[in-house]
C-alpha cells in the first residue's frame, strides 16, 4: 500500500520538476481542453452509466425541472410551472419558443416521445432505475403534459430535474439511440460538433440557448474532452499546458501539484459512495462468499479509516450503502464492522478456510484504493486478483455473474434520494448480487411511500439487513480533486458535474 503511494508521489514530483513554463493554449483559442479517464459507452444519456455521460447529459440537454446544486430548490427549466394533480400525477406547463440545436421546436411531443420511449423496457435503456417508475406520459395540449407514475413515487421531481433529459421527438424517432450517439442533438447550453468514439468529444456554445433558462448561457466558445485512461498521462498533459482541466486526481498527486505556479487545485466532498459488493448469487465465481462468516471476515479485514486518511484524503466513512445526504438514507441501528484482522482470520477458519483462498476482484477507477483493499485482504489470507477495466466492460462481467468482489463507486446520477442508490444494487435488478427478497420488498415499499418518516423506516430496515448479512462493505464518500489552469474560473459541486456553462477565463 505505502509502496503504491510513494511511487505515485515520486512520479508526480519528478513531473513537477520538468514542467517549466507551460503554455496554456485554451484561453488563447477560447477552447477549454479537458482530459477524462473513462469514455462514455453511448452519448445518449439513457444508454450510458459512466460519469462523463452524466456530465454531457447536463451540458447538451435540458430537463423539465432544474434543481439548484446548492440549495436543492426546484425551478422550471423546459417547464415553466408544474403541479401535483394526485399522488401519481405531475402536470407540467411547458415553455414556448424553445428550439433544439437542429432547429426543431420543443413542445409536448418532445416530452411524451422521449419519456415513453425510454420508460418502455423493450427499448432497454441502461439506466432502468431512472425510468422504471414511469407508467406513461400524456399530452394534454401542445404545451402541457402529465407524467404518471406506476405507484406513488415521491422522488419523481428529483429525477425529472436531473437524469431525464428531453430529446427532439422527430429526430429521435428517426435516428434512435445509435443516431443520438453519433450526432447528439439537445437544447442545452452546448452542442456536440464532433464525436470521435473512445477518443474525444468537442462541444460548441449553442447561441440559440433559451434566455429564460435558470442556467446561464455559456461563456467559453468551445470545450474539447479527450479520453485518456492513464492517470500519469493526464497529469503530464495538464502540467505541460496541453489540458486546462482534469478531475479525479489522487490526493497525493493533487497535493504535489499545488506547488506548480500555473495550476490550481480545487477539491470537495461529493455524493459518490464507494463500496465493495460481494456476489452471493447461485453460480457465483466465489462460492466461499455464500458463507456469512467469510463475508464478515472481509468486513473486518479492511482498515477503512487508514485508507480514508492516507489514500482517499477526504470524504466520510459509511455504515450503509447510500449517500448520507439523500432523503431516506440512514445509518441508525446498523452493525459496524471494525478493523480486526485477528477476528477476520478466526471467522475464515470457522468457515473452513484457515489458509484463506483466491478470489477475483473487479474495479474500474480509484485503482490505488482497490490495491489497498487487496493488500488488507492478503494480510488475512484472501488472495484477491485484480481485474481492472473500463466501466462498461466491468458492469457486463458483473451482470453475467462473472464477478465475485466488485469495487463500485456510485454517484446516484445526481438524484439526492435513497431510491437512486441502495435499490440499484439490492432491489432485484441487474446489479443486485444478493437477491434478498426481504430487502427487495422493503426497498420497494420505501420507493413508493409518500410519508417521509415511513419511507426512512423501510429503508432503515433494508439497510440493517444488508449490513447484518454483510452483503457489501460500505467504505466512504469520495472527494473529488480537480487540477486546472489558473486562468480558468470554475466551481466544484458535490454532484461531480463540471458546469462548463458557468466557467470563464480569468
Amino acid at each position: 500500500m505505502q509502496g503504491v503511494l510513494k511511487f505515485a508521489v515520486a512520479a508526480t514530483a519528478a513531473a513537477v520538476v520538468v514542467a517549466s513554463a507551460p503554455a496554456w493554449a485554451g484561453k488563447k483559442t477560447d477552447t477549454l481542453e479537458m482530459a477524462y479517464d473513462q469514455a462514455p459507452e453511448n452519448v445518449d444519456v439513457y444508454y450510458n452509466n459512466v460519469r462523463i455521460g452524466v456530465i454531457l447529459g447536463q451540458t447538451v440537454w435540458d430537463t423539465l425541472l432544474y434543481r439548484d446544486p446548492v440549495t436543492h430548490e426546484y425551478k422550471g427549466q423546459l417547464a415553466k410551472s408544474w403541479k401535483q394533480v394526485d399522488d401519481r400525477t405531475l402536470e407540467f406547463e411547458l415553455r414556448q419558443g424553445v428550439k433544439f440545436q437542429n432547429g426543431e421546436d420543443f413542445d409536448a411531443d418532445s416530452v411524451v416521445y422521449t419519456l415513453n420511449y425510454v420508460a418502455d423496457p423493450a427499448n432497454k435503456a441502461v439506466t432502468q432505475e431512472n425510468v422504471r417508475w414511469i407508467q406513461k406520459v400524456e399530452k394534454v395540449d401542445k404545451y402541457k403534459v402529465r407524467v404518471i407514475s406506476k405507484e406513488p413515487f415521491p422522488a419523481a421531481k428529483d429525477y425529472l430535474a436531473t437524469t431525464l433529459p428531453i430529446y427532439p421527438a422527430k429526430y429521435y424517432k428517426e435516428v434512435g439511440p445509435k443516431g443520438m450517439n453519433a450526432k447528439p442533438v439537445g437544447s442545452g447550453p452546448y452542442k456536440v460538433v464532433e464525436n470521435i468514439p473512445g477518443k474525444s468529444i468537442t462541444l460548441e456554445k449553442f447561441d440559440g440557448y433559451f434566455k429564460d433558462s435558470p442556467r446561464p448561457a455559456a461563456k467559453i466558445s468551445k470545450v474539447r474532452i479527450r479520453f485518456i485512461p492513464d492517470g500519469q498521462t493526464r497529469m503530464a498533459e495538464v502540467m505541460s499546458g496541453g489540458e486546462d482541466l482534469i478531475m479525479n486526481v489522487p490526493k497525493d498527486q493533487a497535493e504535489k501539484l499545488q506547488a506548480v505556479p500555473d495550476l490550481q487545485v480545487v477539491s470537495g466532498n461529493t455524493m459518490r459512495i464507494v463500496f465493495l459488493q460481494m456476489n452471493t448469487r447461485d453460480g457465483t465465481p466465489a462460492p466461499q462468499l455464500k458463507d456469512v462468516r467469510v463475508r464478515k471476515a472481509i468486513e473486518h479485514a479492511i482498515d477503512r479509516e487508514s485508507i480514508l486518511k492516507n489514500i482517499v484524503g477526504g470524504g466520510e466513512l459509511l455504515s450503509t450503502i447510500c449517500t448520507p445526504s439523500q432523503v431516506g438514507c440512514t445509518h441508525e441501528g446498523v452493525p459496524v464492522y471494525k478493523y480486526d484482522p485477528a477476528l477476520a482470520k478466526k471467522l475464515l477458519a470457522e468457515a473452513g478456510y484457515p489458509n484463506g483462498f483466491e478470489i477475483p476482484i473487479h474495479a474500474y477507477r480509484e485503482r490505488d484504493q482497490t490495491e489497498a483493499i487487496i493488500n488488507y485482504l492478503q494480510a488475512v489470507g484472501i488472495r484477491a486478483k485484480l481485474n481492472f477495466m473500463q466501466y462498461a466492460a466491468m458492469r457486463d462481467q458483473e451482470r453475467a455473474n462473472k464477478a465475485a468482489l466488485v469495487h463500485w463507486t456510485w454517484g446516484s446520477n445526481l438524484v439526492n434520494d435513497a431510491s437512486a442508490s441502495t435499490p440499484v444494487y439490492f432491489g432485484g435488478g441487474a446489479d443486485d448480487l444478493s437477491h434478498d427478497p426481504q430487502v427487495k420488498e422493503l426497498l420497494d415499499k420505501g420507493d413508493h411511500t409518500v410519508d417521509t418518516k415511513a419511507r426512512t423506516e423501510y429503508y432503515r430496515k433494508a439497510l440493517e439487513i444488508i449490513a447484518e448479512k454483510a452483503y457489501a462493505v460500505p467504505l466512504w464518500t469520495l472527494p473529488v480533486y480537480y487540477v486546472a489552469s489558473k486562468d480558468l474560473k470554475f466551481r466544484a459541486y458535490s454532484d461531480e458535474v463540471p458546469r462548463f456553462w458557468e466557467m470563464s477565463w480569468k
Side-chain angles (χ1 to χ4, degrees), residues 265-286:
V265 177
V266 178
S267 66
N269 199 14
T270 71
M271 292 174 61
R272 183 171 295 276
I273 60 173
V274 186
F275 59 98
L276 188 66
Q277 192 178 20
M278 297 186 252
N279 186 349
T280 63
R281 292 188 301 195
D282 291 340
T284 173

Side-chain angles (χ1 to χ4, degrees), residues 75-76 90 138 162 233 275 288 294 343 398 403 407 477 484:
K75 300 176 183 178
L90 279 165
E138 295 179 340
T162 52
T233 303
F275 59 98
Q288 300 92 335
V294 171
L343 178 55
E398 170 261 330
H407 183 198
T477 59

Side-chain angles (χ1 to χ4, degrees), residues 226-303:
R226 287 200 297 155
F227 307 118
I228 303 175
D230 182 69
Q232 292 301 326
T233 303
R234 292 195 305 276
M235 296 280 289
E237 286 285 339
V238 77
M239 292 170 65
S240 68
E243 303 292 340
D244 300 297
L245 176 66
I246 59 175
M247 62 186 292
N248 302 324
V249 179
K251 165 185 173 285
D252 58 299
Q253 297 185 27
E255 289 172 347
K256 287 291 181 182
L257 288 179
Q258 289 177 335
V260 180
D262 294 291
L263 295 177
Q264 57 177 312
V265 177
V266 178
S267 66
N269 199 14
T270 71
M271 292 174 61
R272 183 171 295 276
I273 60 173
V274 186
F275 59 98
L276 188 66
Q277 192 178 20
M278 297 186 252
N279 186 349
T280 63
R281 292 188 301 195
D282 291 340
T284 173
Q288 300 92 335
L289 295 177
K290 285 185 168 290
D291 192 317
V292 69
R293 294 169 295 185
V294 171
R295 302 197 299 272
K296 288 183 177 181
I298 290 172
E299 298 263 13
H300 286 296
I302 301 169
D303 189 345

Side-chain angles (χ1 to χ4, degrees), residues 60-356:
V60 178
W61 288 276
D62 290 300
T63 45
L64 288 173
L65 301 178
Y66 171 81
R67 190 190 70 199
D68 188 287
V70 177
T71 67
H72 300 299
E73 176 189 1
Y74 294 115
K75 300 176 183 178
Q77 191 159 286
L78 289 174
K80 64 181 181 180
S81 63
W82 64 95
K83 65 179 180 180
Q84 191 85 41
V85 176
D86 56 43
D87 60 2
R88 293 175 48 226
T89 307
L90 279 165
E91 184 175 277
F92 296 89
E93 186 77 30
L94 305 179
R95 293 191 190 277
Q96 300 183 31
V98 176
K99 286 188 177 291
F100 288 99
Q101 294 154 357
N102 64 350
E104 185 176 326
D105 290 328
F106 162 76
D107 57 23
D109 290 340
S110 311
V111 181
V112 171
Y113 184 79
T114 301
L115 297 183
N116 281 335
Y117 180 88
V118 298
D120 183 350
N123 293 321
K124 298 180 180 180
V126 169
T127 51
Q128 278 293 308
E129 64 272 8
N130 294 341
V131 297
R132 64 187 176 192
W133 58 273
I134 298 173
Q135 179 180 358
K136 60 181 176 178
V137 182
E138 295 179 340
K139 178 179 178 178
V140 179
D141 60 38
K142 189 173 183 179
Y143 293 103
K144 185 180 290 185
V145 298
R146 286 187 169 185
V147 179
I148 303 168
S149 60
K150 295 173 182 175
E151 300 178 63
F153 188 64
K157 286 191 291 185
D158 215 81
Y159 282 82
L160 292 165
T162 52
T163 66
L164 303 180
I166 303 303
Y167 292 167
K170 292 178 182 177
Y171 181 70
Y172 204 42
K173 282 180 185 178
E174 178 185 340
V175 304
K178 288 185 178 179
M180 188 61 82
N181 177 52
K183 292 185 178 181
V185 174
S187 62
Y190 279 96
K191 60 183 179 180
V192 176
V193 293
E194 184 181 57
N195 177 21
I196 306 175
K199 299 292 185 181
S200 68
I201 289 179
T202 303
L203 311 172
E204 186 178 276
K205 178 170 63 175
F206 177 39
D207 291 330
Y209 192 55
F210 64 102
K211 295 180 180 179
D212 292 330
S213 172
R215 301 195 288 176
K219 302 175 181 67
I220 296 175
S221 294
K222 286 187 177 182
V223 177
R224 186 169 75 119
I225 305 169
R226 287 200 297 155
F227 307 118
I228 303 175
D230 182 69
Q232 292 301 326
T233 303
R234 292 195 305 276
M235 296 280 289
E237 286 285 339
V238 77
M239 292 170 65
S240 68
E243 303 292 340
D244 300 297
L245 176 66
I246 59 175
M247 62 186 292
N248 302 324
V249 179
K251 165 185 173 285
D252 58 299
Q253 297 185 27
E255 289 172 347
K256 287 291 181 182
L257 288 179
Q258 289 177 335
V260 180
D262 294 291
L263 295 177
Q264 57 177 312
V265 177
V266 178
S267 66
N269 199 14
T270 71
M271 292 174 61
R272 183 171 295 276
I273 60 173
V274 186
F275 59 98
L276 188 66
Q277 192 178 20
M278 297 186 252
N279 186 349
T280 63
R281 292 188 301 195
D282 291 340
T284 173
Q288 300 92 335
L289 295 177
K290 285 185 168 290
D291 192 317
V292 69
R293 294 169 295 185
V294 171
R295 302 197 299 272
K296 288 183 177 181
I298 290 172
E299 298 263 13
H300 286 296
I302 301 169
D303 189 345
R304 301 182 305 143
E305 291 185 4
S306 179
I307 298 175
L308 183 69
K309 178 181 177 181
N310 296 311
I311 297 178
V312 182
E316 60 181 293
L317 287 178
L318 297 174
S319 300
T320 51
I321 311 298
C322 53
T323 299
S325 66
Q326 289 178 322
V327 175
C329 181
T330 178
H331 293 180
E332 181 185 344
V334 301
V336 176
Y337 298 89
K338 298 293 186 180
Y339 174 55
D340 191 338
L343 178 55
K345 290 180 180 179
K346 181 175 180 290
L347 288 166
L348 288 173
E350 290 175 357
Y353 305 103
N355 299 317

Side-chain angles (χ1 to χ4, degrees), residues 360-393:
I361 183 170
H362 284 66
Y364 74 105
R365 57 177 285 178
E366 315 305 331
R367 183 169 184 150
D368 54 345
Q369 296 178 25
T370 314
E371 290 174 342
I373 290 168
I374 289 172
N375 286 341
Y376 279 115
L377 294 177
Q378 175 75 33
V380 300
I382 299 172
R383 300 173 293 282
K385 181 181 179 182
L386 177 59
N387 293 301
F388 194 82
M389 56 191 67
Q390 289 281 307
Y391 174 86

